[in-house]
Amino acid sequence: MKFKPETYRIPDERMKPFIDSEEIWGYINSTKPTKEKVRQVIAKAMDKQRLNLEDTATLVNTTDPELIEEILQGARTLKEKVYGNRIVLFAPLYIGNKCTNNCKYCGFRSSNKEAVRKTLSDDEIVKEVEALEENGQKRLILVYGEHQNYSPEYIAHTVKLVYGVKKNNGEIRRVNINAAPLDIEGFKTVKESGIGTYQVFQETYDPVAYESYHPSGKKRDYEWRLTSLDRAQEAGLDDVGIGALFGLYDWRFEVLSLIRHTNHLEACYNVGPHTISFPRIKSAASLDITDKHFVSDEDFVKLVAILRLAVPYTGLILTAREPANIRRQVIQFGVSQIDGGTKIELGSYSHTENDKQNLNREQFTINDNRSLSEIIDELIENDYIPSFCTACYRLGRTGEHFMEFSVPGFIKRYCTPNALMTLTEYLVDYGTLEQKEKGYKLIEKNLNQLNGHQDAEEVRRRIDKIIAGERDLYF
Ligand code: SAM
Ligand code: SF4
């Protein structure tokens, strides 16, 4: 046969699967968490160095309560050093639950005939976004099932639609996406619509377990999913989020695999994932799994702390799948983003309680049903600055640049002032009287702690401008 140069492609090493189960189990089975070794690893992380797989294996194998306490303390301190005391807030918006996959853990699975299938119309999307803006949201993640209707063009259309909705002073300034893996062209199309992060969770990194949870549909292809964010990078989308669904397989294996995935992205593209998510399985209609690998609260807290230590500069997202008491606890050990006022039934942000009776469009159960306002109250009471900041990605501080997080003083120069300014906007436009009183006190206190990294007087001037009616000021 004649060789046709135009059809010949050099295989791209980067698109090769990079998880080797044996290698990962090798680390887990051969690492002994002696006191000395665990303390060495914690010290390395406190020095803001990335942990390798062996270091991470040492931490996941630690069972001595005294050492676990040291891991938690280390994560708490490191979080304060790297991220300060701000917590970024967002909300999910489910666009459509049609799905051709049959994931055994998900209420949207194709075999769940009870689920009411729905894709929001453009008008409904606008209504939902208006309702979200009226609550003070500025950052959304749009969520889709996997279905031919949710093409890259359709996803891009919904993103642009969302950015166009302005209700009073409300606007959405960052739209992230959680949807099925795309090809390179598809990622390009979605990127051009102006998204922030594209999230794809691997669910489980173990290929054998993966196969058993995904009996049919396109999602069955483990490698297509595993290499999806490589295709995103190839498409120029350098802001990606990874995650594992904890409860499908041994949590220690998933933690090491998340680090392996991070290493891969760093090695190939000079930039790690922007965020890591670690949802735990929650009850869902027609769930078809055993509790063999379910993760206890104790292990959950530990695994979040380990992720914090292992990847100091990656955002960690904790969602309202977890109840308030767990969120309160886990936030301290490394979480940087949470959702607030979350509703995941399609169309439920703009529906009143009365007309919600007949909805059966939920993917899984939400366990923190508090409003955004209640979440903000609690954050302020606990001395966290609720932040709606979207400055970095709008100023092009993404990808490799995001590594500038390691620049000393970055947080105090940009993140804290932006958090304080977006909190001011929230208080002026949506805050209760009581919230305003507490919020302005917190703002004053944090202004006084900028320690010369940012001109506190300039931040104060901008805050005054916001109070006088200006919006969307940022550094
Ligand atoms: N359909 C797309 C996909 O599967 O990638 C994206 C949306 S899916 C609705 C978002 C994520 O929800 C999934 O990746 C999975 O990790 C998580 N999820 C599914 N079922 C869940 C359950 N029962 N409890 C908690 N999280 C779940
Ligand atoms: Fe569909 Fe995603 Fe649910 Fe799987 S997890 S059934 S792909 S919506």
Side-chain angles (χ1 to χ4, degrees), residues 59-332:
L59 298 186
V60 299
N61 281 332
T62 305
T63 50
D64 174 347
E66 187 192 342
L67 291 175
I68 292 177
E69 197 45 45
E70 289 180 30
I71 292 175
L72 299 185
Q73 282 310 328
R76 196 202 308 255
T77 312
L78 189 64
K79 183 206 169 202
E80 280 162 17
K81 266 204 217 166
V82 177
Y83 285 91
N85 57 343
R86 77 195 207 291
I87 297 282
V88 172
L89 289 161
F90 69 95
L93 173 57
Y94 278 67
I95 300 290
N97 67 356
K98 294 192 176 170
C99 196
T100 46
N101 293 319
N102 201 16
C103 313
K104 288 187 174 178
Y105 43 80
C106 178
F108 291 169
R109 59 189 297 210
S110 55
S111 68
N112 179 11
K113 302 296 176 212
E114 303 288 296
V116 179
R117 302 290 165 171
K118 164 124 185 116
T119 305
L120 298 182
S121 68
D122 284 3
D123 280 353
E124 285 168 328
I125 293 175
V126 170
K127 284 207 183 75
E128 290 287 277
V129 176
E130 284 178 346
L132 284 155
E133 288 177 357
E134 288 284 73
N135 285 333
Q137 303 281 5
K138 295 282 185 283
R139 305 166 55 106
L140 298 185
I141 180 153
L142 308 188
V143 187
Y144 312 73
E146 180 158 7
H147 192 269
Q148 61 272 19
N149 289 6
Y150 311 143
S151 64
E153 291 72 24
Y154 175 73
I155 294 177
H157 163 75
T158 55
V159 171
K160 288 185 209 149
L161 189 63
V162 169
Y163 279 130
V165 180
K166 315 267 176 198
K167 186 82 198 277
N168 301 320
N169 277 337
E171 62 180 348
I172 300 303
R173 298 178 184 154
R174 179 173 177 132
V175 174
N176 298 330
I177 299 290
N178 185 317
L182 304 176
D183 60 17
I184 294 176
E185 281 311 307
F187 278 121
K188 276 188 191 155
T189 304
V190 174
K191 181 192 160 55
E192 277 158 19
S193 66
I195 65 159
T197 310
Y198 200 103
Q199 283 185 348
V200 177
F201 303 158
Q202 186 60 27
E203 318 300 11
T204 172
Y205 282 90
D206 180 69
V208 178
Y210 186 92
E211 205 184 330
S212 72
Y213 290 115
H214 303 103
S216 60
K218 213 170 161 192
K219 192 161 168 181
R220 228 179 128 60
D221 189 341
Y222 171 91
E223 291 184 5
W224 175 252
R225 196 164 179 93
L226 189 66
T227 55
S228 56
L229 298 174
D230 294 77
R231 295 192 296 282
Q233 295 280 354
E234 290 299 321
L237 216 169
D238 58 10
D239 193 329
V240 298
I242 63 173
L245 181 56
F246 281 86
L248 298 180
Y249 191 59
D250 191 303
W251 68 264
R252 298 170 305 159
F253 181 92
E254 308 293 15
V255 168
L256 260 72
S257 299
L258 286 166
I259 304 307
R260 181 71 190 81
H261 198 163
T262 302
N263 294 348
H264 169 78
L265 293 173
E266 281 179 357
C268 294
Y269 310 102
N270 276 329
V271 52
H274 183 56
T275 55
I276 298 183
S277 299
F278 32 84
R280 271 196 296 185
I281 299 238
K282 298 295 161 187
S283 68
S286 67
L287 201 75
D288 179 19
I289 55 174
T290 69
D291 59 5
K292 181 170 172 214
H293 295 297
F294 280 12
V295 180
S296 68
D297 290 349
E298 213 177 303
D299 284 340
F300 188 60
V301 172
K302 186 164 102 179
L303 79 84
V304 176
I306 294 171
L307 285 171
R308 176 70 303 141
L309 291 174
V311 282
Y313 300 114
T314 303
L316 296 184
I317 302 182
L318 177 68
T319 68
R321 290 174 177 88
E322 297 299 335
N325 63 323
I326 295 287
R327 300 234 280 178
R328 214 166 280 137
Q329 201 187 351
V330 174
I331 275 179
Q332 311 168 56

Side-chain angles (χ1 to χ4, degrees), residues 308-365:
R308 176 70 303 141
L309 291 174
V311 282
Y313 300 114
T314 303
L316 296 184
I317 302 182
L318 177 68
T319 68
R321 290 174 177 88
E322 297 299 335
N325 63 323
I326 295 287
R327 300 234 280 178
R328 214 166 280 137
Q329 201 187 351
V330 174
I331 275 179
Q332 311 168 56
F333 302 118
V335 169
S336 53
Q337 292 190 26
I338 62 171
D339 51 346
T342 293
K343 294 181 186 170
I344 63 169
E345 281 183 56
L346 273 104
S348 55
Y349 288 114
S350 56
H351 279 71
T352 60
E353 286 305 318
N354 290 341
D355 53 34
K356 275 199 319 205
Q357 309 292 342
N358 295 325
L359 299 183
N360 183 9
R361 302 170 187 152
E362 209 177 50
Q363 189 193 11
F364 47 78
T365 314

Side-chain angles (χ1 to χ4, degrees), residues 29-46:
N29 292 331
S30 67
T31 314
K32 298 268 170 299
T34 61
K35 251 189 190 142
E36 198 193 354
K37 179 77 181 131
V38 173
R39 287 183 178 149
Q40 254 173 22
V41 173
I42 298 174
K44 180 176 173 186
M46 300 308 280

